[in-house]
Amino acid sequence: MEDGSGLMKLIPALDSSALFRSKPDCLICLIRHGLDKNEHTGQQMPANTRLNDVEMANLVNYLRQEYASVTMAVTTEEVKTCLENCKDPE
């Protein structure tokens, strides 16, 4: 699991996720608002509303570099803009 391979149907794999290679806005919104139910695992991903813009940028940059080799960093301004444009799933 530490290598991003996931855990069967309980935890989705990070190492093969296209989410990290796409624009960061989907990932930012997913972290902030979570998922009611993942269609592949049947599990819920809770929302994380405690991260500030700097922490969110650091997390997204780490995930994208670690699991997709994306070296272009997301800025705190980009995070702020993405969060303003996120649609809360409620």
Side-chain angles (χ1 to χ4, degrees):
M1 270 189 350
E2 291 85 15
D3 64 356
S5 60
L7 183 60
M8 297 165 64
K9 290 223 171 213
L10 294 175
I11 301 171
L14 299 177
D15 61 353
S16 61
S17 176
L19 187 60
F20 300 119
R21 290 183 284 281
S22 64
K23 291 183 180 181
D25 54 342
C26 292
L27 180 56
I28 291 167
C29 292
L30 176 66
I31 293 168
R32 175 56 46 111
H33 297 292
L35 284 175
D36 286 336
K37 189 174 183 182
N38 181 304
E39 64 185 54
H40 301 292
T41 65
Q43 301 293 316
Q44 176 192 26
M45 179 181 154
N48 188 325
T49 57
R50 294 181 178 210
L51 295 177
N52 64 38
D53 293 350
V54 173
E55 294 166 328
M56 180 73 79
N58 288 339
L59 176 59
V60 169
N61 288 330
Y62 170 78
L63 290 170
R64 294 178 79 210
Q65 184 168 0
E66 184 71 17
Y67 297 109
S69 299
V70 174
T71 57
M72 187 176 217
V74 174
T75 66
T76 55
E77 280 301 313
E78 289 174 299
V79 168
K80 183 178 180 177
T81 300
C82 287
L83 290 175
E84 289 171 354
N85 294 319
C86 283
K87 300 284 189 230
D88 191 342
E90 295 180 321

